[in-house]
């Protein structure tokens, strides 16, 4: 049943409704810059995105050795602890050998919310994502109506993008956000490695 929308390109209307929940990063301190917005999407749509992007695309990209070694997020077998361990070892080697060290950290803050959808689509297709799946995903993103959930219930009004002014970002809570970020950030890491003088 999930393949029918991909093959036909027809978006089920229930896939185009998202409920946004605002969570405080620091409980009891409702600061506007310290709020995480999670989108609750239709379960079968989100499951389809996890199956196609998070499993198939990431596995295919790994077989192609498409991800750079410096990428630690959203990649099976890699974790934040691995990145911290490598960093500590680099510091220890630098101290022991008394070599000068220059380190660049790049924490892509709110990266899922800042992914440009058209670039993400091209980057995912570059790694082998079928065009039909990307077309369906972009159609859903363009037509999604976002409602806000509060302590008083779910709002009856919503907001949405348009062709002239589309909303960007995959959103927190989307099953394909990690895979899309990896696909989008990989060319950035590759360009940085090529342009780096060292």
């Amino acid at each position: 049943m999930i393949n029918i929308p991909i093959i036909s390109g027809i978006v089920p209307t229930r896939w185009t409704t998202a409920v946004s929940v605002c969570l405080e990063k620091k409980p009891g301190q409702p600061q506007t810059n310290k709020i995480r917005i999670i989108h609750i999407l239709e379960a079968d749509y989100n499951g389809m995105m996890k199956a196609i992007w998070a499993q198939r695309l990431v596995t295919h990209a790994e077989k192609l050795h498409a991800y750079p070694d410096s990428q630690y997020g959203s990649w099976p077998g890699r974790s934040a602890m691995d990145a911290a361990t490598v960093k500590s070892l680099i510091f220890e080697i630098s101290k022991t050998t008394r070599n000068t060290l220059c380190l660049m950290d790049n924490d892509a803050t709110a990266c899922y919310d800042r992914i440009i959808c058209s670039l993400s689509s091209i980057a995912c297709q570059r790694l082998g994502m079928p065009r039909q799946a990307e077309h369906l995903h972009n159609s859903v993103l363009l037509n999604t109506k976002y409602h806000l959930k509060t302590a008083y219930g779910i709002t009856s009004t919503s907001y949405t993008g348009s062709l002239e002014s589309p909303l960007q970002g995959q959103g927190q809570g989307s099953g394909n956000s990690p895979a899309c970020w990896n696909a989008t950030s990989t060319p950035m890491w590759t360009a940085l490695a090529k342009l780096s003088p060292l």
Side-chain angles (χ1 to χ4, degrees), residues 56-93:
R56 292 182 195 168
L57 181 66
V58 170
T59 303
H60 185 67
E62 282 182 304
K63 286 178 185 172
L64 295 175
H65 303 288
Y67 296 145
D69 287 333
S70 53
Q71 176 75 356
Y72 281 93
S74 310
W75 187 4
R78 301 282 183 113
S79 70
M81 287 304 297
D82 294 336
T85 302
V86 168
K87 191 181 206 180
S88 295
L89 288 171
I90 289 171
F91 287 149
E92 290 302 318
I93 291 169

Side-chain angles (χ1 to χ4, degrees), residues 25 36 107-115 169-172 181:
K25 289 184 179 178
R36 182 179 304 264
D107 181 9
T109 306
C111 60
Y112 296 170
D113 299 322
R114 296 178 179 170
I115 296 172
Q170 307 294 326
Q172 299 284 344
W181 173 248

Side-chain angles (χ1 to χ4, degrees), residues 31-144:
Q31 301 169 355
T32 55
N33 63 336
K34 298 287 183 187
I35 291 200
R36 182 179 304 264
I37 299 172
I38 306 291
H39 300 301
I40 300 171
L41 306 171
E42 187 67 35
D44 57 344
Y45 171 63
N46 213 12
M48 182 262 306
M49 290 194 299
K50 286 179 184 176
I52 295 177
W53 276 266
Q55 292 172 358
R56 292 182 195 168
L57 181 66
V58 170
T59 303
H60 185 67
E62 282 182 304
K63 286 178 185 172
L64 295 175
H65 303 288
Y67 296 145
D69 287 333
S70 53
Q71 176 75 356
Y72 281 93
S74 310
W75 187 4
R78 301 282 183 113
S79 70
M81 287 304 297
D82 294 336
T85 302
V86 168
K87 191 181 206 180
S88 295
L89 288 171
I90 289 171
F91 287 149
E92 290 302 318
I93 291 169
S94 177
K95 272 198 279 187
T96 304
T97 59
R98 296 182 182 193
N99 284 329
T100 306
L101 174 69
C102 178
L103 185 71
M104 181 191 88
D105 280 335
N106 185 4
D107 181 9
T109 306
C111 60
Y112 296 170
D113 299 322
R114 296 178 179 170
I115 296 172
I116 297 171
C117 298
S118 55
L119 291 180
S120 168
S121 180
I122 293 167
C124 288
Q125 287 179 59
R126 178 183 149 271
L127 296 177
M129 178 59 65
R131 231 175 89 204
Q132 295 91 339
E134 281 298 334
H135 177 66
L136 174 72
H137 179 237
N138 289 333
S139 296
V140 171
L141 285 174
L142 182 64
N143 296 305
T144 297

